[in-house]
Amino acid sequence: MSFKNKVVIVTGASSGIGAATAVEFSSQGAKVIMVGRNETKLTKVASKCSHPLVLLADMAKDEDVKRIVDQTIKKFGQIDIVVNNAGLSRNGGLLEDNIMEAYDTIMNVNVRGLVYLTSLAAPYLAKTKGNVVNISSAAAFFTPPIAGAISYYISKAAVCHFGACAAAELAPYGIRVNTVSPGPVKTDLFENCNIDIKYKDFEKLVALGRVSEPKEIADVILFLASDKAKGITGSDFLADNGMVIKRG
């Protein structure tokens, strides 16, 4: 899967799945735009890539999302692939005072920013017959085990449905849109969100009894973005170690 001279935007590229994806695309010859909020972590990941464009940006801010596309076009003149990976979580249950704060924070990044970036990139993707890969979660298929996680689960269900709707709308322009829904992956999501969960605890919740490494998800993303998947659009690929079948 060569991505030589392909221009790839990866959001949430400072760690976890986004970082692994940026490194893998770069290793395959892509010109990678790494987007994130943590400059220290972005710089560390960028050192593993070949001359990436590193952009500090908050996906919850419209002006930042627009700047991502503007600076990409200014530097490279095209967009071939968008990986909408940025995401976060916050605790807030329906019987708690902070439910709307948690909901707005999560939805603005996990859904609104994703939709806006896709919309702004779409005219350029139409020119290159490019594609979009959205990162959702196996959480989209469940009800949350704890009440405070409701907004995160809603957001990931929205990402899945957006992927299908966007695929249908953009297909006439030659743009493919697919979604990857990972199960538990060893990232710093919980640490960043101050959620006390141990990845070891997930092993008993999945059929294969293991937790994925970020590169495993990156491999799926690169496949879907490649010409090997040129006939695939509107799909939702579960990469969950059998979490969905385990929970039934």
Side-chain angles (χ1 to χ4, degrees):
M1 293 185 292
S2 174
F3 292 93
K4 186 175 177 59
N5 295 323
K6 297 290 187 181
V7 177
V8 184
I9 297 174
V10 181
T11 67
S14 61
S15 63
I17 295 170
T21 300
V23 171
E24 288 301 303
F25 269 119
S26 181
S27 73
Q28 295 296 324
K31 300 173 182 177
V32 180
I33 298 84
M34 296 175 51
V35 180
R37 296 186 299 176
N38 188 310
E39 184 173 10
T40 300
K41 290 184 178 181
L42 275 175
T43 301
K44 183 177 180 180
V45 179
S47 68
K48 302 176 184 178
C49 299
S50 178
H51 307 294
L53 174 60
V54 179
L55 299 178
L56 286 173
D58 185 343
M59 293 300 294
K61 297 179 179 178
D62 285 358
E63 60 271 24
D64 280 15
V65 177
K66 188 174 187 303
R67 180 166 51 84
I68 294 167
V69 173
D70 289 345
Q71 292 195 16
T72 298
I73 295 303
K74 181 179 180 180
K75 185 171 180 63
F76 298 115
Q78 68 187 62
I79 301 173
D80 296 278
I81 300 162
V82 175
V83 180
N84 285 310
N85 169 73
L88 52 74
S89 184
R90 295 288 186 272
N91 280 327
L94 291 172
L95 297 177
E96 300 173 18
D97 293 338
N98 66 337
I99 177 61
M100 296 317 299
E101 178 184 357
Y103 178 88
D104 287 341
T105 299
I106 291 169
M107 296 297 284
N108 283 342
V109 172
N110 295 12
V111 183
R112 193 178 192 282
L114 176 153
V115 171
Y116 192 36
L117 180 58
T118 303
S119 175
L120 292 176
Y124 301 101
L125 293 170
K127 293 178 181 179
T128 61
K129 304 305 178 187
N131 67 85
V132 178
V133 182
N134 299 313
I135 311 305
S136 181
S137 168
F141 303 95
F142 306 130
T143 55
I146 54 175
I150 185 171
S151 296
Y152 178 79
Y153 278 60
I154 291 170
S155 76
K156 290 306 183 179
V159 170
C160 289
H161 198 55
F162 169 74
C165 292
E169 182 171 334
L170 297 178
Y173 302 93
I175 303 170
R176 296 187 298 110
V177 183
N178 291 292
T179 302
V180 179
S181 293
V185 183
K186 294 175 184 175
T187 72
D188 55 4
L189 172 66
F190 297 131
E191 178 185 340
N192 291 341
C193 299
N194 296 314
I195 298 174
D196 185 20
I197 295 178
K198 302 295 186 294
Y199 280 105
K200 185 75 174 175
D201 297 336
F202 282 104
E203 293 180 2
K204 61 181 177 291
L205 300 178
V206 300
L208 294 179
R210 64 184 298 277
V211 175
S212 294
E213 297 291 339
K215 186 182 180 301
E216 297 173 43
I217 310 305
D219 288 342
V220 178
I221 294 168
L222 265 69
F223 166 71
L224 289 173
S226 76
D227 286 342
K228 290 187 176 183
K230 61 186 177 183
I232 301 174
T233 193
S235 72
D236 190 340
F237 272 61
L238 274 172
D240 68 342
N241 289 300
M243 191 175 196
V244 170
I245 60 172
K246 175 80 171 182
R247 293 193 61 175

